Amino acid sequence: MARKKPLVVVTRKLPDKIETRMRELFDARLNVEDVQMTQAQLAEAMASADVLVPAITDRIDARVIEAAGPNLKLIANFGNGVDHIDVTAATERGITITNTPGVLTEDTADMTMALILAVPRRLTEGASLIIRDEGVWPGWSPTWMLGHRIWGKRLGIIGMGRIGQAVARRAKAFGLQIHYHNRHPLPGQIEDELEATYWDSLDQMLARMDIISVNCPHTPATFHLLSARRLKLVKRDAYIVNTARGEVIDEHALIRMIETGELAGAGLDVFEREPAVSPKLLKLARQGKVVLLPHMGSATVEARIDTGEKVIVNIRAFMDGHRPPDRVLPAML
């Protein structure tokens, strides 16, 4: 008799190629309408599934995990970050967590570099002026739409993992001086390759940078890592770019400091209360002081397919009795 396929509940619409493969391999319950599940629906899925495949928009907290049925042994996250999952509660229930590291690195680094360019050079402000205010542009002028050069400036990277290093490689090619803060310094060979300067003290690094890029994960230890106190250490003419998680920055303090001229501006792909965007940030965007993007850092066809393929590999390995290659443990967070 053929072995029964595991029931895999997928919470969001995935690329057709990935969904087709899941249907071939598993008893896959898909969300073809891409309607976000409520907490009650997530709990119902946990009660019936063998495997849950959630995304960043799903809050898999302790209460949802309590609803897990006896068959649910794996949560195979579609994405690298797992801050939306209570990993400790799941582990205590004997549920394995996996993620998809590595597949988003280059795309997120590309978007980070795009924001590093866009904010000081006023790219979106100029582009929207052409489109929105037809006839306003009088033609080239020596003093029209002046921004700031990034070549020769100091870039401070917070979090020097895969994405941070990929950002550093791009930034080095643009002539930026690379500085970074991390839990541990990089191996000397990588530091030499990137010509990167390590700062054990985040406070000291922040005070000396022209551009700051946030590339660390959101964990309890990094919540409001850029607090109001730390933001006040940053130079008035500096810019902050965040393609990691909105919760890493005290958004209210960031807004206030840009409004008062204590910071030059920011480029944000993520927000503290996502998908809600502060009306004050929208006002600053209209004034050209910030560039706002709707969490597009990893939004490429290639990244989404690669992510789905990693999810499938993790599920198959687990169901075949092997340790999945991308298991996440509480000690890793």
Side-chain angles (χ1 to χ4, degrees), residues 52 62 67 94 115 123 134 162 174 200 214 227 232 251 255 306:
L52 184 76
L115 286 171
L123 296 188
E134 185 176 355
R162 294 183 183 92
F174 277 84
D200 178 63
V214 179
S227 60
K232 287 186 177 297
E251 193 172 278
I255 292 169
D306 289 349

Side-chain angles (χ1 to χ4, degrees), residues 7-9 29 44-52 69-73:
L7 174 58
V8 176
V9 177
R29 187 185 300 169
E44 182 180 349
M46 295 277 286
S48 60
D50 297 305
V51 179
L52 184 76
N71 293 329
L72 191 136
K73 297 298 181 184

Side-chain angles (χ1 to χ4, degrees), residues 109-121 124 211 239-243 266-270 291-293:
D110 284 345
M111 190 62 78
T112 304
M113 197 65 222
L115 286 171
I116 289 172
L117 288 164
V119 181
R121 293 302 303 271
T124 59
I211 303 169
Y239 299 91
I240 294 178
V241 169
N242 187 7
T243 57
L268 306 175
D269 185 45
V270 289
V291 174
L292 308 178
L293 297 176

Side-chain angles (χ1 to χ4, degrees), residues 6 103 114:
V103 296

Side-chain angles (χ1 to χ4, degrees), residues 235-297:
K235 299 193 299 182
R236 296 177 69 92
D237 58 352
Y239 299 91
I240 294 178
V241 169
N242 187 7
T243 57
R245 288 289 188 268
E247 295 90 341
V248 177
I249 301 178
D250 183 337
E251 193 172 278
H252 178 72
L254 177 72
I255 292 169
R256 185 177 64 250
M257 291 182 66
I258 296 173
E259 287 175 333
T260 58
E262 296 172 83
L263 280 174
L268 306 175
D269 185 45
V270 289
F271 307 94
E272 187 168 353
R273 294 167 183 83
E274 195 172 314
V277 180
S278 167
K280 292 183 178 180
L281 275 177
L282 297 176
K283 182 178 179 180
L284 289 171
R286 288 190 289 268
Q287 295 171 352
K289 295 180 179 180
V290 300
V291 174
L292 308 178
L293 297 176
H295 205 140
M296 294 169 56

Side-chain angles (χ1 to χ4, degrees), residues 5-6 20-28 312 316:
K5 293 181 178 179
T20 300
R21 188 60 177 146
M22 284 188 167
R23 290 295 298 271
E24 292 170 348
L25 295 171
F26 317 124
D27 178 10
I312 290 171
R316 293 195 69 180

